[in-house]
């Protein structure tokens, strides 16, 4: 299965939730995760409640969220959470593609 449309859809979903910039050059999943990590880090520092609301709307499992917040190293919480959110967005995009 071609992952490109799924990855673009996942980025569009994350873009809306986290107000990420448009990717003008060729899509790069690593760059998408880096941008998401920056947005998550900013929300961790400035607006934890908003971040938790986004996690709820994205339907990130409560267990995953708790595990990241309580067990990740402080320097890697933002990147671990961004990766988990990215994986959830990809799952949603795959489901949408499958049933559309």
């Amino acid at each position: 299965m071609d992952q490109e449309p799924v990855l673009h859809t996942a980025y569009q979903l994350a873009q809306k939730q986290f107000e990420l910039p448009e990717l003008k050059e060729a899509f790069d999943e690593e760059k998408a995760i880096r941008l998401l990590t920056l947005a998550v880090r900013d929300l961790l520092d400035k607006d934890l409640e908003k971040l938790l609301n986004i996690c709820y709307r994205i339907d990130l499992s409560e267990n995953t969220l708790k595990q990241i917040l309580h067990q990740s190293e402080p320097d890697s919480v933002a990147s671990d959470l961004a990766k988990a959110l990215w994986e959830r967005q990809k799952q949603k995009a795959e489901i949408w593609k499958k049933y559309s």
Side-chain angles (χ1 to χ4, degrees):
M1 180 166 96
D2 182 20
Q3 284 290 103
E4 193 74 17
V6 170
L7 297 177
H8 278 283
T9 301
Y11 187 77
Q12 288 171 339
L13 291 170
Q15 187 178 20
K16 290 176 189 171
Q17 295 289 334
F18 290 95
E19 300 170 8
L20 300 176
E22 280 191 42
L23 293 179
K24 303 212 184 302
E25 63 278 353
F27 185 82
D28 177 359
E29 188 172 14
E30 288 181 26
K31 182 172 184 169
I33 293 171
R34 282 195 307 273
L35 290 170
L36 188 54
T37 299
L38 292 173
V40 168
R41 184 173 294 128
D42 189 53
L43 287 172
L44 278 168
D45 292 342
K46 297 178 182 171
D47 198 346
L48 181 60
E49 187 175 331
K50 181 177 180 180
L51 177 60
L52 296 176
N53 283 330
I54 291 171
C55 290
Y56 176 77
R57 278 183 273 151
I58 289 174
D59 197 26
L60 184 67
S61 83
E62 189 174 337
N63 288 337
T64 300
L65 180 60
K66 284 181 180 179
Q67 183 177 4
I68 291 169
L69 292 177
H70 296 292
Q71 295 178 3
S72 290
E73 293 295 321
D75 290 344
S76 64
V77 170
S79 63
D80 291 348
L81 187 52
K83 289 173 188 169
L85 289 164
W86 177 251
E87 288 303 316
R88 180 65 187 123
Q89 295 292 43
K90 282 184 4 183
Q91 288 173 352
K92 289 170 76 173
E94 287 171 358
I95 290 168
W96 287 1
K97 183 179 180 191
K98 184 177 179 180
Y99 292 104
S100 65

